Amino acid sequence: MLVRFGRRSGQARESREIRNSEDSEVSYPPLLPSKVDLRQVTIIPHDEWRRIRDSLDSLTREAAALRAERKAKQEMHFRSQEMVKHWTNTYAGMKEQKLKAKKKRDEEIEAERQILDLEEEIHKQGERKKAIEYAKQYHFYQTERVKNFHSGLLLSRVMKERDAHLEFRKSKIKSDTKWEKQLKLNIEKAFKEEQEKAEKQYRERMALAKEHLKQIKEHEEEKERRKKLEEKDAEEIKRQNLLYEIEMRKKRKKKKEEIDESRKLFFDHMHDKNIIKAVEQQQQEEEDEKTRLFIKAKKRLAQMRREKEAETHRLMEERREKINNFLSELMKEKLDNEDAIIAKDIAEAEAEWEKKEKEKYEKTKTDLKAIAEHRATMMKNKEEEERQRKTESKQQLLAVMKADQIFREQEKEKKCKANIERREVQDAHVQQMAKNKFNAQQAKEAELEYCRHTKILAAEKEKEFQDYAREVIELESESTSKYIYPLVKAVQEGPGGGCGPAFVDKGGLRPSYQANDSTGVQLPFYNSQGSKYSNLQKSKGRLGFTW
């Protein structure tokens, strides 16, 4: 075989044995897959192989060149961006400078706003503090003790002002005749003005009374007119009711007539229906009678046909007997000539009869055997069914016993579960009782703590009130100490505003007490250390007893 391409083109190929011996001597790496027939391999030149590879890899090389070009452009773009990033004479640089300036202005404005917000928050905090202080002061002034104290303060100032006014009047009063005349004239003028004012008021009252009488008269006339209209409306309503009653009676009468007519038509219809039903029943009876007569005639015709057939059969039997007799006579005549044939036929007939009898016997035997087998099979099946029935009954009994056992176990489990639940409920009740006891103890402790806290708070409030009252009393006593008794009394009354004794253990609280009757009035306060009437005789005399 000649080589087509390559360095050895046109030369003969070496044999496989020589190549194998050379391969055994020098080992080269395999260039072709194993089990490849070299006679089917085509060797092409290197330039041809490069052309084929270039034609196959052209798209891949173009894609790689495009990717390299795109990457180079992107790198150049990044370098350009890095280069012009810090330039200030470009649109992007100017825009960036404007954004930075805007950001800086926004930061300065935000800082100013934060300072303003802080100042506003401080101002609002001060306002809230002032409002809280004002609310506390207002709440303090609205308490009952402070109100009573202020009432005492007002009373003391009024008493002081009254005494000052009396002193002023005493110092200003003079016995001057001119002043008395002027006073007399003023009194007369005032009396005259009062009289004119009284007359004017009288005239106005009279005019008002006349106006009221006129309005009363108008109201009575209006009432009379309304009454007449109501009477007229009542008569019209009465007339309408009468017409309505007449119309309703007519409608009821008409409805009753229609009901009577409907009842009459219904009874007529029922009568006609009964007549039609009777006629139909009669027709049905006639049809039944016709059917019975037809059946009876049919039976008679069948009997006649059977009788005729019997007669025909009898005649045919007689004719057949005659023919047989005639044939017998003919056979007797031919008997002598046909004895051998008849004997042969008789022997054949007997042989065939024996064969048939034998076959019949075999068939009967086979049938009896089959019947016996069937009977044995049926008995066996019956015994099997009976055994299966007993087995099923036993299984059913076992299932019932098992179900009873399961039911007893379930009942036992239910009982155990009920016992567990009862114990759980009992434990829950015990826990609930303990919890309630603990809650009651906690509530009692909380109440005691509340009482202590209330006592402390009442002591603080009392101290605050006493400080305030002491400052006010000291301020009022600087001018005079004659009118501070209401203030001292208001201070000594204690908190609560009642008339009862003060509770020392509860911050000096002074409660009120009500009478135990239907009135429920507040009991008075008696601040006496003992009875002033210890002498019984004097007491009796004071009360009016003479014995």
Side-chain angles (χ1 to χ4, degrees), residues 111 115 226 306 312:
I115 293 170
R226 193 182 295 111
R306 285 195 296 273
T312 304

Side-chain angles (χ1 to χ4, degrees), residues 71-281:
K71 186 176 180 182
K73 287 182 179 180
Q74 191 172 6
E75 290 178 355
M76 187 180 290
H77 179 66
F78 288 155
R79 286 197 302 273
S80 300
Q81 285 184 348
E82 290 293 330
M83 187 181 296
V84 303
K85 185 166 64 174
H86 301 290
W87 291 358
T88 58
N89 56 352
T90 59
Y91 286 109
M94 295 170 67
K95 185 177 181 181
E96 188 175 357
Q97 286 183 355
K98 289 179 180 180
L99 289 174
K100 287 181 179 179
K102 186 176 182 299
K103 186 177 180 182
K104 188 176 180 181
R105 287 196 304 272
D106 292 340
E107 289 177 355
E108 292 175 355
I109 292 170
E110 184 66 25
E112 292 177 358
R113 286 178 181 176
Q114 288 180 1
I115 293 170
L116 290 174
D117 292 340
L118 184 60
E119 292 177 355
E120 186 177 1
E121 184 66 25
I122 293 170
H123 176 70
K124 286 183 178 180
Q125 188 175 1
E127 292 292 330
R128 287 195 296 270
K129 191 173 181 181
K130 289 180 181 179
I132 291 169
E133 292 294 333
Y134 175 75
K136 287 182 179 180
Q137 187 178 5
Y138 179 76
H139 181 69
F140 177 72
Y141 288 159
Q142 291 298 317
T143 56
E144 196 67 27
R145 291 198 69 191
V146 176
K147 285 183 178 180
N148 293 333
F149 182 73
H150 287 171
S151 298
L153 178 61
L154 181 61
L155 178 59
S156 65
R157 290 182 178 178
V158 167
M159 292 169 64
K160 182 179 177 182
E161 187 67 25
R162 184 192 63 182
D163 292 344
H165 188 63
L166 289 174
E167 292 292 334
F168 178 76
R169 289 184 64 183
K170 286 180 181 179
S171 63
K172 291 295 182 179
I173 292 176
K174 295 180 180 179
S175 58
D176 192 1
T177 57
K178 187 177 179 180
W179 180 79
E180 289 178 355
K181 288 180 180 179
Q182 185 67 30
L183 181 62
K184 188 176 181 181
L185 289 173
N186 291 334
I187 291 171
E188 289 177 356
K189 187 178 179 181
F191 180 74
K192 190 175 180 180
E193 289 177 355
E194 288 291 332
Q195 190 175 3
E196 290 176 357
K197 188 176 180 181
E199 290 177 357
K200 186 178 178 181
Q201 289 179 356
Y202 176 74
R203 288 194 299 271
E204 289 178 355
R205 282 198 300 271
M206 291 300 292
L208 184 62
K210 289 180 182 179
E211 185 68 24
H212 284 174
L213 289 173
K214 185 179 178 181
Q215 289 181 2
I216 290 169
K217 188 175 180 181
E218 290 178 356
H219 289 167
E220 288 179 352
E221 290 176 357
E222 182 69 23
K223 187 176 181 181
E224 189 69 24
R225 188 166 58 254
R226 193 182 295 111
K227 187 176 180 181
K228 289 180 180 179
L229 289 174
E230 288 177 356
E231 290 177 355
K232 187 177 179 180
D233 293 339
E235 290 177 358
E236 182 67 22
I237 290 168
K238 188 175 180 181
R239 188 177 66 81
Q240 293 291 336
N241 288 333
L242 184 62
L243 292 174
Y244 176 75
E245 291 292 334
I246 293 169
E247 188 68 25
M248 290 302 294
R249 280 199 296 272
K250 288 181 180 179
K251 285 185 178 180
R252 284 196 292 270
K253 186 176 179 182
K254 187 176 179 181
K255 189 174 182 180
K256 187 176 180 182
E257 290 176 357
E258 290 177 356
I259 291 170
D260 294 338
E261 185 68 23
S262 300
R263 186 183 292 110
K264 185 178 178 182
L265 291 174
F266 176 72
F267 286 148
D268 293 341
H269 176 69
M270 292 300 296
H271 182 67
D272 295 340
K273 190 175 181 181
N274 291 330
I275 292 171
I276 292 169
K277 189 174 181 181
V279 171
E280 289 179 353
Q281 187 175 3

Side-chain angles (χ1 to χ4, degrees), residues 472-522:
V472 173
I473 290 171
E474 288 177 357
L475 184 63
E476 291 293 327
S477 63
E478 287 179 358
S479 60
T480 178
S481 61
K482 184 178 178 182
Y483 307 104
I484 61 173
Y485 174 72
L487 300 177
V488 176
K489 185 179 178 181
V491 171
Q492 291 177 354
E493 285 182 355
C499 297
F503 288 166
V504 181
D505 295 336
K506 291 189 177 181
L509 184 66
R510 191 182 296 276
S512 300
Y513 296 94
Q514 291 180 339
N516 192 14
D517 55 6
S518 60
T519 60
V521 297
Q522 184 175 352

Side-chain angles (χ1 to χ4, degrees), residues 16-28:
R16 186 175 299 174
E17 289 80 4
I18 298 170
R19 187 172 298 173
N20 289 335
S21 62
E22 291 177 355
D23 291 340
S24 62
E25 291 176 358
V26 181
S27 60
Y28 293 101

